[in-house]
Amino acid sequence: MQAHYDLKARLGKPGPFLFSWLTMPSGELAAQSARLPLDGVCLDMQHGMIGFPDAVPMIAAINAAGRPAIVRALWNDPGLIGQSLDAGAACVIAPMINSPAQAQALVKAAKYPPIGGRSWGGYTALQASGLTAPEYLAQANRLTQVFAMIETVEALDQVEQIAATPGLDGLFVGPSDLSITLSNGAAVAKTGEATLAAMRKVSKAARSNGLVAGAFAGNADVIKTYLGLGFTFLAAAVDVDLMQWGCARLLEEIKSV
Ligand code: 3PY
Ligand code: MG
């Protein structure tokens, strides 16, 4: 049987890792997205319309296509984190990690002992991995990647300590929330000066602690800007945006007819 996608090995290779960001609940959408020429598919279970019963066939479809399934969890809740990994996600991104204690709780939920305290029983993940139970136990902490979202001033102030959390695999910037807190509610500015200065700090903290630096980008210009800051694990485009861009391009191309 095909072994579980080795996301850690892939992220250890040079070059960007770009993934789609799904907000709509559909196994078929997940299957089609997994066949796009991108590196992975993320289900946004925080702001997307995807609940756990929706996510189960979506994760299965992504795994069946040989791509890694990434879940942006609804919250840093051990039940939600464990459930996503048990459903076969290769990576969990947890929102609003604002302190080292919250980062430690995240790792505890996502990794088995001795690193954490993940509870055993994810038969879907086990079957999808193609491994025996002892093999899965031995490899799961490496096969499941855990990213802490840095998206507040509070998190930024403690980013070095958060990045030093044992067992954490990466930092993931939510630039919209980050810019909102940096501006005290005045603006969403994904490439504003203050946002980019803050993101430089996050990228440096990630790299100096051996973590992967990730961020939500969402379009080509932002991807280019963030790559320039050292971020490599990037949400490239949202499902609804891809539809809108395709439609706008279609209308543009037939404008002169
Ligand atoms: C943010 O930019 O705040 C995010 O959470 C990405 O969706
Ligand atoms: Mg956010």
Side-chain angles (χ1 to χ4, degrees), residues 46-47 72 95-96 149 151 173-178:
Q46 184 188 20
H47 294 299
R72 194 263 285 266
M96 296 282 181
M149 285 196 76
E151 48 183 352
V173 175
S176 298
D177 277 316
L178 183 58

